[in-house]
Amino acid sequence: MADSSDNPRVCGAAPQCSGGLFRSPQRSARRRLGTIMSHLTSSEKDGSPEKSPHPQTPHDPSYLGPLHGIRILDLTQMVSGPMGTQILADMGADVIKIEGLSGAAERGSSKASITSSLFSLTARNKRSISIDLKRPEGKDIFLKLIPTADVVVQNFRPGVMEKLGIDYKTLASLNPQLIYMCISGFGKSGPYSSKRVYDPIIQGASGLASIQADASGRPQMMRLIIPDKVTALTSAQAITAAVVQRYRTGRGTRIDLSMLDAVVAFAWGEAFAQVGFVGGTEPNFTYTRDMVYQTKDGWITCGAVQPKEWKGLCLALNKPEWMEDERFNTQQKRSLNRSARYEVTEEVLKTLTTEEAIARLDANDVPNGIIHHPRTRVLDDPQVRTNGLIGTTTHPWAPLPLRQPRPAAEFATAPYRLRRHAPLLGEHTREVLAEAGASPQDIDALIATGVATHTRGKAIAEQHGRDPRLRTLMSA
């Protein structure tokens, strides 16, 4: 996503927060420090660990997931690429993360420890090798891995792979069955193809910011990196489909995926319904408040799409007269007057506690749910705990235990197991190069001459002193 002469990656996310779309590293580090200080203070007060901890994520290096036997060479960084390959790694694929000597952008500043929560997630179950692809020796290492690979994934800006001499045509000549996934911001050609891209750029270009417009009509960005994550999901699905196709035909393929295409296709159905028919009426977009309702003690959402649900809502809120109200007595009118409908609904809900409101709505079969605000309340939601979604694990090079979700899709024949923690920079350089046939002496020479790097983990306390949790985060 930077200039191709330095760091030619393309598609990634600028971490977002309520303070703005692009978070400064200094502010991010201070916030992490504040979180750690709060955790330490509370632990010191009662001398006990966090109450109701989530269960430990099962750890099994020998886990054979549904994609066991598929090898992926991952040249991506930031989120759209790494998250896509993480999904495949979680399913058992052997994902080798190929990083430059300075490491992937999402790793953060620390190379010998794990201080980024994002990286600890998107790099789990992967191996890392660190090589300089601009040097002939580094390029040769990569090319030697191609015959052993099933998939290559990259999100360089268009033209960079050709400049490096590792484009699809070159790689396919070494391995005709290779699946080559090329992720870009806007596509491989066109007026925007060479632009530097972060998630908010695609939110704007795809219409997503317009879809999120507030009641005044002002576009708004989502505070979740939807374009990155939708692209990641799309890439994982496409790669899996290509693997099936290759088993059927014996041929590899090139796949081009732009973030713009992924988001527009994802949003199309309801968001672009007014332009779905060619020659239809002129679009007339209106912007209203959302379906977030305040109660006496919190927030809920509820909706009445079908007539029977509207009747149930009226009865639940003791407002039977709304069923005959000229503004709401047909489905079309309820849609046209939805701002008024939302307002009167909230007026009643404000007189009820969250528990009372949900009980009444449930009794009348009205779709509803609690809004967890702040979002940390999700961790203790009884349904989340029943599903066993969140687990904890101890990373040997992280300052504190990690809390992460398991993969959302559960395979009955292969329940999820964590095979590998997110790797240090080049943690597996020696291992992977040895698998490719390099001798220990050759590997030593490549590291000594700066073609490759290999990071060996040390005990965190040994690296950072007596309180590694604070020192590590302060240096991030």
Side-chain angles (χ1 to χ4, degrees):
M1 63 138 274
D3 193 277
S4 61
S5 62
D6 297 313
N7 184 4
R9 313 288 181 167
V10 57
C11 310
Q16 299 182 21
C17 62
S18 57
L21 292 171
F22 300 94
R23 179 187 298 171
S24 72
Q26 293 84 0
R27 192 190 318 169
S28 182
R30 286 198 298 271
R31 286 181 177 175
R32 290 199 299 271
L33 177 60
T35 301
I36 296 299
M37 288 300 296
S38 174
H39 177 90
L40 292 177
T41 301
S42 62
S43 296
E44 288 165 359
K45 282 181 180 178
D46 60 16
S48 61
E50 178 183 307
K51 294 178 181 178
S52 303
H54 289 86
Q56 281 286 117
T57 299
H59 185 203
D60 182 4
S62 64
Y63 170 68
L64 303 181
L67 291 180
H68 173 69
I70 299 298
R71 172 173 281 191
I72 299 171
L73 303 183
D74 179 8
L75 289 161
T76 67
Q77 58 179 330
M78 293 307 286
V79 178
S80 61
M83 182 180 176
T85 53
Q86 172 224 325
I87 293 169
L88 302 173
D90 284 349
M91 291 186 179
D94 176 21
V95 178
I96 300 173
K97 185 171 180 63
I98 300 174
E99 304 182 66
L101 303 187
S102 59
E106 77 276 14
R107 179 180 285 279
S109 60
S110 180
K111 315 304 178 189
S113 57
I114 302 297
T115 60
S116 166
S117 177
L118 173 66
F119 183 80
S120 74
L121 176 67
T122 61
R124 73 184 182 191
N125 291 315
K126 299 180 183 180
R127 297 191 284 174
S128 168
I129 69 170
S130 177
I131 56 177
D132 187 349
L133 287 172
K134 295 178 183 177
R135 293 178 61 172
E137 303 93 333
K139 174 184 169 182
D140 288 345
I141 292 170
F142 180 72
L143 293 177
K144 285 180 180 177
L145 293 173
I146 294 302
T148 73
D150 298 285
V151 182
V152 169
V153 188
Q154 61 95 358
N155 65 345
F156 289 102
R157 281 197 277 179
V160 172
M161 291 290 276
E162 287 77 8
K163 182 186 290 187
L164 293 172
I166 52 174
D167 54 283
Y168 174 62
K169 185 177 180 180
T170 300
L171 303 186
S173 69
L174 300 174
N175 182 353
Q177 292 190 319
L178 185 70
I179 296 163
Y180 179 94
M181 166 63 76
C182 176
I183 299 173
S184 64
F186 287 104
K188 58 184 177 182
S189 62
Y192 306 153
S193 61
S194 62
K195 287 177 71 73
R196 296 174 60 157
V197 174
Y198 277 130
D199 187 276
I201 311 305
I202 303 300
Q203 289 199 38
S206 66
L208 190 57
S210 172
I211 295 165
Q212 289 297 114
D214 62 20
S216 73
R218 183 184 186 277
Q220 295 190 118
M221 295 292 182
M222 294 197 68
R223 293 192 177 122
L224 186 66
I225 48 176
I226 294 294
D228 273 304
K229 293 187 172 185
V230 167
T231 303
L233 291 167
T234 306
S235 72
Q237 178 272 326
I239 289 170
T240 306
V243 169
V244 174
Q245 175 184 260
R246 193 190 62 182
Y247 278 126
R248 193 174 64 247
T249 67
R251 296 194 304 271
T253 188
R254 171 178 174 138
I255 306 170
D256 288 287
L257 171 64
S258 79
M259 295 172 68
L260 177 66
D261 292 358
V263 177
V264 172
F266 177 80
W268 191 262
E270 76 287 9
F272 290 87
Q274 293 191 43
V275 295
F277 291 101
V278 178
T281 58
E282 190 69 20
N284 179 28
F285 297 109
T286 57
Y287 303 99
T288 61
R289 56 160 286 174
D290 53 26
M291 295 168 61
V292 173
Y293 301 115
Q294 188 172 5
T295 65
K296 266 186 178 181
D297 57 354
W299 305 86
I300 68 166
T301 185
C302 62
V305 177
Q306 300 180 51
K308 63 180 181 180
E309 293 166 353
W310 173 244
K311 179 181 178 180
L313 179 67
C314 296
L315 296 176
L317 301 185
N318 292 326
K319 292 290 183 179
E321 64 270 23
W322 287 353
M323 289 185 277
E324 304 302 325
D325 192 307
E326 284 295 322
R327 297 170 297 172
F328 311 134
N329 60 4
T330 70
Q331 194 157 347
Q332 183 179 17
K333 289 180 181 180
R334 288 194 291 276
S335 178
L336 290 172
N337 296 299
R338 56 185 177 275
S339 289
R341 179 162 51 90
Y342 294 163
E343 293 298 332
V344 296
T345 298
E346 185 166 58
E347 286 176 9
V348 178
L349 288 171
K350 280 183 176 179
T351 67
L352 305 173
T353 66
T354 297
E355 185 176 355
E356 290 169 341
I358 287 177
R360 288 193 187 188
L361 294 167
D362 282 344
N364 287 275
D365 205 22
V366 180
N368 73 87
I370 191 169
I371 292 176
H372 287 306
H373 184 61
R375 72 200 75 168
T376 49
R377 294 181 179 178
V378 172
L379 301 178
D380 289 318
D381 183 281
Q383 188 63 59
V384 171
R385 286 190 173 273
T386 299
N387 291 356
L389 177 62
I390 308 297
T392 59
T393 185
T394 302
H395 193 300
W397 322 125
L400 289 171
L402 296 172
R403 182 189 287 116
Q404 295 179 347
R406 58 159 171 74
E410 296 185 90
F411 286 77
T413 53
Y416 176 68
R417 298 289 185 271
L418 178 69
R419 288 178 296 138
R420 299 177 185 272
H421 295 289
L424 304 179
L425 175 62
E427 182 177 341
H428 304 97
T429 296
R430 288 186 178 276
E431 178 181 306
V432 173
L433 294 188
E435 290 174 2
S439 69
Q441 294 77 18
D442 290 339
I443 298 172
D444 287 341
L446 290 168
I447 293 173
T449 56
V451 174
T453 59
H454 174 246
T455 302
R456 297 182 62 185
K458 298 179 181 178
I460 290 289
E462 190 179 318
Q463 288 178 307
H464 298 287
R466 293 182 61 187
D467 197 339
R469 293 172 292 184
L470 296 184
R471 293 180 183 271
T472 300
L473 291 176
M474 289 174 69
S475 65

